[in-house]
Amino acid sequence: DSPVLAATGGRGPGGVAGQVLHGGGACANSGNRWFDKTLQFIVGEDGTCGVVYDPAVIDGAVVAEMVDHALDY
C-alpha cells in the first residue's frame, strides 16, 4: 500500500485501522483489498501492517499464531 493518508487520520489508531480495513477509499488503496478473500496481509510502504480475515471461515487463534510468527521473523 501507499503510505497512510493524512485525511484518513494519519498514523493514529483510527487512520491505521481505516488503512488496513478498507485502504483509505477509492482514491487510495481500496483497489488492493479483496473483500471476498478469507485472509489478507496488508503491508504499507510506511511500515503500517495488519491482517484482515473472515472469522466465519478461519479461527482467530490460527491467525494470531501466523501473525506472531510473521512479526518474529
Side-chain angles (χ1 to χ4, degrees):
D1 277 355
S2 300
V4 175
L5 303 173
T8 61
R11 290 195 53 103
V16 173
Q19 175 76 359
V20 170
L21 290 175
H22 54 74
C27 295
N29 298 303
S30 288
N32 294 336
R33 300 296 179 271
W34 298 89
F35 299 105
D36 63 335
K37 303 302 179 202
T38 302
L39 181 66
Q40 299 180 77
F41 288 91
I42 311 300
V43 179
E45 291 176 356
D46 62 353
T48 301
C49 61
V51 176
V52 178
Y53 71 96
D54 183 357
V57 178
I58 191 168
D59 185 29
V62 173
V63 173
E65 287 291 325
M66 289 183 351
V67 169
D68 286 342
H69 180 78
L71 291 174
D72 287 343
Y73 298 98

